[in-house]
Structure formats: C-alpha cells, structure tokens
Amino acid sequence: MKTKLLLTILFAISAQLLWAAVGITGKVVNEKNEQMSAVTAYLIHSTNHIILKTAITKEDGQYSFENVAAGSYYVEARMIGYEVKRSAIINFNKTAQQIPDLQIIPSSNTLSEVTVEGKKPLVENKQGKLILNVENSPLAAGNNGLDIVQRAPGVSLDNDNNLQLMGQSGVKVTIDGRQTYMTGEQLTTLLKSTDGNQIKSVEVIKSRSAKDDAEGAVGTINIVMKKNRMEGFNGNFSATGGLGEKFRGNSALSLNYKKNNTTYFGSYSYSDDKYINRLNIERIISNNGMETLFDQQSNLHIKDRTHTYKFGVEQKTSDRNVMSLQFNGSNNVELNDNDSKSLIGPLTTIDSTLISMTQFKEGFNRYSFNFNNEFKIDSTGKKLILDLDWSQFKNSKKADYDNRLFDKNNQLIHDPEILRSEMPIGIDIYVAKLDYNQPLSKTSNLETGVKYSNVKSDNNLLFEEQLDDKWTNIVNRSNHFIYKEQIAAGYVDYDNQIGKWGIKAGLRGEYTLSDGHSLTESKQVKRNYFDLFPSANLSYDAHENHIFSLGYSRKVTRPNYRQLNPFDYFIDKYTSERGNPYLNPQYANELNLNYTLYKKYTISLGYNAQTDAIVESMGQDSVKKTTWVTRENLGKNNSAFLNLSMPVQVAKFWSSYNNITAVYMNFDGAIAGAVVNSTSFLFQVNSMSTFKLSPSLSAEMNLRYFSPFTYNIYKLDSRWDAQIGLTKNFKDKRSSLKLAVSDVFNTSNQNLSTNFSSFNTKIRQNQDRRVARLTYSYKFGNLKNVAKKKNTDNEEKQRAQ
C-alpha cells in the first residue's frame, strides 16, 4: 500500500514537472480540421505585442512553448499562403495550459508578403549579449555602419572616431562572427563604407568562450548582416537622400534566388556623402620659461564615395552537408580639403600666422572570399565545420601640403613650403578554422577546434618637398615598414546543464609570431610568445524569473602595424602621429556577474584588470614647437562597471528600452616621462523608445548622455544627442518610407583637453552630424515561401552560418 502511494505521489510530481516545463501547448489544423505541420506559431505579449517565443508545428500539428513566465499572451499561427489565425488572450499563471485548436484557411492573395504583427524589441538581452535590432528601424535607414554601431548600449567613440566599450578602448569588431583584423583609421573607414541598410543587428558581447578569439581586451562588437531565406526570386531596393550642411545619399539593391537545395544571393550599394567638420586646437608650449600659443582653426570639406557589393552561393549537397562560397568587396574614395589658420605667438601677442592648405585623397579597397562547409556526422549532433577566409585591403593615401608663414604685418617670412606624401598600404589576411562539436549527453556538449591566421601589411610612406621646382625626398620622414603576424590557436570548450546549474568552461592556447621590419632604418623587432586563455561561466536559474551567472575570461589586445611603425604620420606642419616599435600586447582578466529579473531586466557588474595597457600618450619638441601622439604600455589600467538594462512599457503604444552604465577607472603608470595615478568615473545613459501610432505608422526616438570623464591624461567634456525617426508602411506591404533626423540639437561634438606635465592642449570639434534622411524601400519578386511538411525543423540548423 505504501509503495503504491509513493508511486502515485512520484507520478503526480513528475506530471506536474512535465507540464511546468511545457507551459503552453496547442495544435494547428486546416479548414478540413487536418493536422498542419511546418506552421510557425508565435507567442506574443498581449500589451506590447513583442514576440517572446517561436515554435514550428510537428507532424501532428502540435506546438509548445516552454518556460513561460506568468503574464498575458496570445498565439498567432502563420504560414505562407494561409490567413493569419490568432488565439484569444491567455492569462497564464505558470500552470500548464492547452489552448483551443487554431484553424488556418487558405489566403485569397497567396503572393502577398506575410508580416508578423508582433515585433522584436529595439534592444534585447539574450544569452549574455546586448542586441540592437536595427533591421526595420528608421534610425538606421540611410546611415553607415559606424553611425549604427555607436548607438548600441555601452558603445561610444573617442575624439578620433575609435570605438570604445564601457568607456575603454581595445574593442574587437567582427562581421557575422568573423574578425575584421582592423583597428584605428582602417576600421573606421571599413565601418563607414558598410551600408546600414544591409545590417540586421549589432551585438555587444562582454564575455567570451574558449572558441572565441582571445583578441579584444574589453569585449566584442559583432555586426550581423541581413540574410534572405525566401523561396524563388526576390529582392529589396532602397534609396536615401540626406541633408546636413551638405547633401548626402545612398542606394542599395539586394537579390536572392532559392530553389530546392541551392541559394544564390547578392547585393550592391552606393553612397555619396558630403560634409564639413570644423576643428579648433589650442596649444601652449613652454621653452625656458617662454610660453608660445598655437591657436588653430581648421575646416575640413569631405567628399566620400563608396561602392559595396557581395555575391555568393549556398548549396545543400546532401541531407547532412551544406557548403557556401561568398565574395565581398568595397571601393571607397575620400577627398578631404583642409584649410587651416594657426595664430602663433606669446600668450599676449600674435607675431606670426600659418596658413595651411592640405588636400587628402584616400582610396580604400577591400576584397574577401569565404568558404564554409558544415557536415553533420550523425543524428546525435556531431558535426564538423570548416571555414576558410582570404581578405585583402588596399589603402592609398595621398596628400598635398601648402604651408605659408606670415609675420604680424601679413608678409611672407619665407618661401611657401610645398610638400606631398604618398602612403600606400597593403594588407593580406589568410585564415583557416576547423571546429568539431560532439554532444556527450542530453545536457552536456564538447567543442574543440584549431585556427591559423597569417597577416602581412606593407606600408611604404614617401614624403617629398618641392625645391627649385623639383621634388626631393625627405629622408627622415619617409619610411618603408613591413609587419607580419602569424597566430596558431587551439581550444576546448565543455558545457553542461545540471538541474538549475549551468556550467561552461574552456581553455584556449595561442602561439604568436610577429615581425616588424623598418626597411628604411634596417631595424627589425621580432616576437614569439605562447599564451593560455582560460574562460568559465557558471549560471544558476533560481527561478524562471531570477537567473544568475558569473563569468571569467582572459583576453589580449595586440598592437597593429600602424602603432608599431616608428615613423610619423603628419596631420599638419606641427602635429603628427608616431608609432612605437617596442609596443607590447596588453592583457586583461575580466569578471562579470549578471542577474536577470523577469527575463527583461538585467544588472551586470564587471571588473577588468589590464596589464601593459596600451594607452595614448603625447610628446613635443619645445624648440621646433611640434607635438606628436603615440602609444605606450602603461603599467596598469583597472576598471569596474555597472550596467542596467530596463525595458519599460510606458503605454500600450509606447515601449522604451533604457540602458545605464557607470564606469570606474584607475590608471597607474608612467606616461611621457611623468607618473600618472588617476581615478575617474564615467556615466552613460541610452534611452530608446518606439511608438506604435497606427497599424502602418510607427516612430522611434533615441536619447544619449555621456558625463564628463578623464581618460588617461585627457579630460573629456560631457555631451548628449537626440535622434528621431518615423516609418510609414504602405498597404501593399512591400514598400515603406522612413524619415529620420540625427543629432537633432547639434550637441554630440566631442571636446577634450589636457593639462599634464608640459602638455597644455584644448580641442574643440564641430562635426556635421545633424542630418535629416528620407529613405524609400521596396520588396519585390516572389515572396511566397514553400513550406515542406516533413523534416523542416532541421533545415535551418543545417545551414552554414
């Protein structure tokens, strides 16, 4: 009797646990009440209409949504060629619930596009990533990649347009998970040449696993490009016109053809931007008690034209194998006419004036091939992925300088100084990866793999001066520098779910060979070193509404070729950027603690300890009155951050996502021969709101604020900006019109200063960022998706990512 009673109790408990895991279940049938497979079911919040979960019906028409939090929802069943069917409102209280069958009937217009009324939130927190969804946002329409990336939570730009995360530099940027291998000016150019209309989302990732490259001391920004999986021939066209102080515009065309197991895809975009940036630099240089003032006013008139294109093929060669080949290219030309006027003299008197006219012409060409093959070894989940990449970057930068120095009576002090420079840069990158995945049980998994990368950059700087109508090489300014780097890596990653506990741990080893060779100076700096990069993450689901995780990872940031090149890149006669061939990699150990409440609100605490930190420093010649910027390895850079993510449903039509970041930072080391031990705080607020004004009309607004901040020896002023956007979807459900205005109040300019040791500089910028853009987009072709009724639940899993 006791045994039967015990078995009954255990059975009841097991049944309750099973129902609790399932949450909400249901079935989809057709007009004849026949079970329908391969139908997409969406679980949607009843007030903000956000899609929370997605499921595909099985052979018996059944679908299920597991781990559903208490709340009010409805379910929509959708399939191409059928009318949408919506359930009644479900008031779910964490008790297993079976809803009535959803009956879908054939649509009278099978060629019209299906649009899911539920929408992704503008910002999501998913699997430790903060994701900015910009695919249908008016704030992204017509913008380039750099404009969009800096809108992501925790991301900002420094005064040189370098990306920062949580107030720190050392960010790794990937596109569809593939490393760009670029930093600084080249990365900025690459992002500016990336068409924003082709971007689906931006992922901000602070933690890393052993599978990920160790590069990126403060985190990773991954740009996810759009992909089209519709059957038949289809495409999208968009055109944007923008007006700031100058006109700018772009257009884009994407095409896709899918039939059976083969998909062909391609895209092309063209942008033509014109804008004006104004710069004021005020420097005071001391020499034997005498102080000289340099007050420089510069106007930069910029024309930027870019062609970007992509095409490829994806082939499912068998039920277990998918291979893809893709080519990407971009060609960018930037013309920069810089007129500058510098007032020079003692603090109380101007005794000379330097008038400079500089014309820059920069060409940036990027080409890449990628081959990917994913083979599913068996039905247990074992798979092998091969990924091969080749990339080539060609950068040519020509500059003509005309410097004329006048006395206080506006008379030429000496003959005009006519200079020119040419700086071709070639970068070749070869990467091969092989990854193996093997499930060990229903809850545990093992991943391992190897990677090899080979990077070579060739930088040949020629600087000449016109003397007696002849061009003469300036030996101490010209330089030929070649940098080579090889990295061989291997990793193992293990993860397991034990009840409410999740464990993931891994180890990555990277062996690096680098060779920086100045052919001009016959100097060579070679390095070879091996590093281990452990990572671990422990998660605990105390309750479906209370989830904790604690992560640790070790990271590295290696200096790039430009930072290592010992010669000067001249900005003007008195200002340059200088490389440091003895720059070492910087390492970081990072801890992250995350708490997620109600699957919406997230609190993240982090601590990042960097050694041999690569920081920007300054140098100057008090006799020649020249100043240069360089990079040095500071002793230590420790920082801690607190990040709060808070989505708020203000009203039925108004949803808001708010991100607040507080950063504490401490520098401790020697810069430019002086000791620095400084502490500073940074406060960032990013608030994004979406407004559903009508079924076809929506609006967005983005507000950002950055508090004053001391970074190294620089003091950055506070700044804020606002963006607004409006989207109109037309009745044909194929075309839309988007209007957006960026930096509405012209307040986003970055101003900074330094008063450290012998350096006294103020920089004021006024960039042409207030722009109104109007974008029209149209989807064309056959938008009917042919859904298969068998084995379709694995099709997308078999595709190469």
Side-chain angles (χ1 to χ4, degrees):
M1 183 67 182
K2 290 182 179 180
T3 302
K4 291 183 178 180
L5 179 60
L6 180 60
L7 289 174
T8 302
I9 294 173
L10 290 175
F11 176 79
I13 293 174
S14 300
Q16 287 297 318
L17 290 174
L18 178 63
W19 279 103
V22 171
I24 296 175
T25 60
K27 186 169 67 174
V28 179
V29 297
N30 62 14
E31 73 280 8
K32 298 179 181 179
N33 284 322
E34 297 171 337
Q35 300 164 349
M36 292 287 291
S37 64
V39 179
T40 304
Y42 299 93
L43 181 67
I44 302 174
H45 200 283
S46 64
T47 55
N48 57 25
H49 306 289
I50 292 176
I51 299 173
L52 300 176
K53 293 179 180 291
T54 304
I56 304 294
T57 60
K58 300 178 181 179
E59 291 292 324
D60 58 1
Q62 295 282 346
Y63 62 86
S64 64
F65 301 109
E66 300 179 1
N67 300 318
V68 179
S72 179
Y73 311 100
Y74 61 87
V75 176
E76 281 189 353
R78 290 181 175 270
M79 188 175 189
I80 300 295
Y82 289 83
E83 298 285 354
V84 178
K85 182 64 176 180
R86 176 184 294 185
S87 73
I89 299 297
I90 307 163
N91 293 312
F92 184 70
N93 60 359
K94 295 186 290 186
T95 301
Q97 192 165 345
Q98 174 87 22
I99 68 172
D101 293 352
L102 298 177
Q103 186 180 65
I104 57 175
I105 60 176
S107 171
S108 59
N109 183 10
T110 59
L111 293 181
S112 64
E113 179 193 4
V114 171
T115 302
V116 181
E117 293 181 9
K119 61 181 183 300
K120 282 189 176 181
L122 194 57
V123 179
E124 290 182 285
N125 192 322
K126 184 182 294 184
Q127 296 178 340
K129 303 175 183 178
L130 284 173
I131 304 173
L132 176 66
N133 295 304
V134 298
E135 186 169 10
N136 297 308
S137 170
L139 300 183
N143 278 320
N144 60 47
L146 185 63
D147 295 326
I148 295 172
V149 167
Q150 64 173 303
R151 294 285 159 187
V155 178
S156 60
L157 298 178
D158 66 12
N159 58 299
D160 295 320
N161 283 333
N162 295 315
L163 288 169
Q164 294 182 324
L165 184 58
M166 306 302 178
Q168 300 179 78
S169 58
V171 183
K172 180 178 71 176
V173 176
T174 60
I175 298 177
D176 285 334
R178 295 184 176 90
Q179 193 171 334
T180 58
Y181 293 94
M182 309 201 77
T183 58
E185 185 179 356
Q186 273 68 43
L187 178 60
T188 299
T189 303
L190 173 64
L191 294 178
K192 287 171 65 177
S193 64
T194 302
D195 178 28
N197 293 310
Q198 302 297 323
I199 296 177
K200 177 182 179 181
S201 61
V202 177
E203 299 174 343
V204 178
I205 309 166
K206 284 291 293 177
S207 60
R208 57 166 290 273
S209 67
K211 183 179 181 179
D212 303 319
D213 291 324
E215 183 73 26
V218 299
T220 300
I221 297 173
N222 183 42
I223 302 172
V224 181
M225 309 302 289
K226 294 179 181 178
K227 294 180 177 67
N228 191 334
R229 301 302 190 197
M230 300 295 290
E231 288 282 349
F233 173 76
N234 48 79
N236 182 79
F237 171 77
S238 65
T240 299
L243 184 62
E245 292 193 50
K246 298 278 189 175
F247 175 80
R248 59 197 74 182
N250 66 338
S251 58
L253 174 68
S254 62
L255 301 172
N256 187 81
Y257 178 73
K258 181 178 183 294
K259 186 174 183 179
N260 298 327
N261 295 323
T262 306
T263 302
Y264 300 96
F265 55 90
S267 65
Y268 168 77
S269 65
Y270 171 72
S271 64
D272 188 346
D273 295 341
K274 301 178 182 69
Y275 48 98
I276 300 175
N277 291 336
R278 296 176 176 85
L279 180 66
N280 172 227
I281 302 177
E282 183 181 292
R283 290 177 292 167
I284 298 176
I285 297 180
S286 298
N287 183 25
N288 295 325
M290 298 289 294
E291 293 186 326
T292 303
L293 171 67
F294 287 77
D295 188 358
Q296 177 182 337
Q297 299 279 350
S298 299
N299 298 306
L300 291 76
H301 302 264
I302 302 170
K303 297 179 181 179
D304 198 335
R305 297 185 179 93
T306 303
H307 301 267
T308 305
Y309 37 91
K310 173 181 69 177
F311 55 85
V313 59
E314 184 179 273
Q315 179 69 48
K316 184 178 179 183
T317 58
S318 70
D319 289 339
R320 294 191 294 166
N321 195 77
V322 176
M323 60 188 299
S324 66
L325 181 66
Q326 180 173 308
F327 172 78
N328 290 272
S330 65
N331 307 106
N332 170 263
V333 175
E334 181 178 301
L335 304 176
N336 186 340
D337 292 338
N338 180 359
D339 60 85
S340 174
K341 180 179 181 180
S342 300
L343 305 178
I344 307 171
L347 295 181
T348 56
T349 308
I350 301 300
D351 58 21
S352 59
T353 302
L354 176 66
I355 303 296
S356 299
M357 297 292 296
T358 307
Q359 292 182 322
F360 293 99
K361 181 179 181 180
E362 182 173 6
F364 181 83
N365 301 308
R366 171 181 177 257
Y367 310 100
S368 68
F369 276 103
N370 170 258
F371 172 78
N372 182 282
N373 191 91
E374 180 175 321
F375 176 64
K376 297 187 69 174
I377 299 173
D378 56 28
S379 60
T380 65
K382 295 179 184 178
K383 61 182 178 180
L384 194 64
I385 302 173
L386 174 67
D387 201 83
L388 303 175
D389 274 296
W390 169 80
S391 301
Q392 184 182 77
F393 302 87
K394 294 293 185 181
N395 186 225
S396 62
K397 193 168 187 177
K398 297 181 179 180
D400 295 309
Y401 307 89
D402 185 332
N403 299 316
R404 299 170 188 260
L405 188 63
F406 297 86
D407 62 20
K408 61 182 178 181
N409 297 317
N410 205 30
Q411 299 296 316
L412 272 172
I413 295 177
H414 52 68
D415 291 339
E417 190 177 53
I418 309 299
L419 308 166
R420 71 180 183 185
S421 68
E422 186 172 352
M423 189 167 53
I425 302 169
I427 306 174
D428 289 282
I429 302 170
Y430 300 89
V431 182
K433 291 194 302 180
L434 185 65
D435 299 293
Y436 173 71
N437 182 84
Q438 176 170 329
L440 301 177
S441 67
K442 290 183 178 180
T443 60
S444 62
N445 190 69
L446 180 70
E447 281 187 287
T448 186
V450 291
K451 178 181 178 180
Y452 171 76
S453 65
N454 188 320
V455 180
K456 177 184 177 181
S457 67
D458 191 333
N459 178 0
N460 191 2
L461 171 62
L462 176 65
F463 221 106
E464 297 178 308
E465 183 177 10
Q466 192 178 68
L467 298 173
D468 299 325
D469 296 327
K470 294 182 179 180
W471 289 105
T472 303
N473 182 23
I474 305 177
V475 178
N476 63 345
R477 290 191 180 183
S478 299
N479 179 44
H480 190 185
F481 183 76
I482 296 177
Y483 179 71
K484 299 177 182 178
E485 181 181 85
Q486 299 179 69
I487 301 175
Y491 76 91
V492 59
D493 245 331
Y494 170 79
D495 65 88
N496 196 359
Q497 187 73 34
I498 306 173
K500 294 184 176 182
W501 293 91
I503 302 170
K504 184 166 187 175
L507 183 65
R508 184 180 185 88
E510 294 188 353
Y511 178 65
T512 304
L513 286 169
S514 67
D515 181 2
H517 188 192
S518 173
L519 303 182
T520 303
E521 290 191 330
S522 298
K523 291 182 179 179
Q524 198 167 8
V525 178
K526 290 186 174 182
R527 292 187 178 93
N528 66 88
Y529 48 93
F530 176 76
D531 290 303
L532 290 174
F533 300 95
S535 61
N537 189 81
L538 181 66
S539 64
Y540 176 63
D541 295 358
H543 183 271
E544 62 183 6
N545 292 327
H546 303 280
I547 301 173
F548 298 86
S549 68
L550 176 65
Y552 162 78
S553 59
R554 185 171 188 254
K555 309 173 185 178
V556 65
T557 298
R558 300 176 179 89
N560 62 48
Y561 73 92
R562 181 155 179 168
Q563 294 171 342
L564 295 168
N565 191 340
F567 272 66
D568 291 341
Y569 304 87
F570 278 85
I571 301 167
D572 57 42
K573 181 179 174 64
Y574 294 102
T575 312
S576 63
E577 181 181 349
R578 178 173 298 177
N580 177 5
Y582 304 103
L583 200 59
N584 292 313
Q586 71 175 16
Y587 295 89
N589 289 284
E590 184 167 275
L591 280 171
N592 285 284
L593 175 63
N594 299 285
Y595 167 57
T596 303
L597 175 66
Y598 296 123
K599 299 184 179 180
K600 295 194 302 180
Y601 310 105
T602 303
I603 302 175
S604 299
L605 284 169
Y607 178 75
N608 187 292
Q610 296 180 9
T611 56
D612 286 334
I614 299 174
V615 298
E616 187 174 292
S617 181
M618 297 179 71
Q620 67 183 22
D621 188 321
S622 58
V623 177
K624 295 181 179 180
K625 309 294 193 257
T626 57
T627 302
W628 60 87
V629 174
T630 187
R631 265 70 175 184
E632 295 180 334
N633 288 107
L634 183 69
K636 295 179 181 179
N637 178 18
N638 298 325
S639 63
F641 70 87
L642 170 66
N643 185 269
L644 306 177
S645 298
M646 298 174 292
V648 178
Q649 190 67 39
V650 183
K652 186 176 181 179
F653 68 94
W654 179 6
S655 59
S656 174
Y657 177 87
N658 306 284
N659 186 268
I660 300 174
T661 303
V663 179
Y664 161 85
M665 189 176 295
N666 174 257
F667 286 100
D668 185 6
I671 300 179
V675 176
V676 177
N677 192 339
S678 63
T679 299
S680 57
F681 295 88
L682 170 65
F683 185 68
Q684 298 179 4
V685 179
N686 191 349
S687 179
M688 300 182 180
S689 294
T690 57
F691 306 88
K692 189 68 174 178
L693 305 179
S694 73
S696 63
L697 188 64
S698 61
E700 292 180 11
M701 179 176 64
N702 181 205
L703 298 173
R704 297 189 305 167
Y705 170 77
F706 300 85
S707 71
F709 181 49
T710 299
Y711 184 76
N712 192 359
I713 61 175
Y714 300 101
K715 294 182 179 180
L716 285 70
D717 294 349
S718 64
R719 69 188 194 276
W720 68 280
D721 64 79
Q723 281 199 107
I724 55 174
L726 196 68
T727 299
K728 170 65 178 177
N729 293 310
F730 295 101
K731 290 184 178 179
D732 61 2
K733 296 186 179 180
R734 292 175 177 260
S735 53
S736 65
L737 197 63
K738 300 174 183 178
L739 174 65
V741 181
S742 59
D743 197 9
V744 178
F745 302 101
N746 195 25
T747 53
S748 66
N749 298 298
Q750 177 71 80
N751 299 320
L752 66 150
S753 63
T754 181
N755 192 355
F756 169 77
S757 185
S758 59
F759 305 99
N760 190 339
T761 304
K762 293 181 181 179
I763 299 176
R764 298 290 179 265
Q765 301 181 83
N766 187 352
Q767 300 189 2
D768 188 5
R769 290 178 173 170
R770 179 164 56 186
V771 182
R773 290 182 173 87
L774 185 64
T775 301
Y776 173 77
S777 61
Y778 180 74
K779 298 177 181 179
F780 58 87
N782 181 15
L783 302 181
K784 181 174 69 172
N785 199 357
V786 179
K788 298 180 181 180
K789 290 192 176 184
K790 293 185 180 181
N791 299 326
T792 55
D793 55 332
N794 289 324
E795 183 176 353
E796 289 300 320
K797 296 179 184 178
Q798 294 173 344
R799 291 190 177 276
Q801 298 298 317

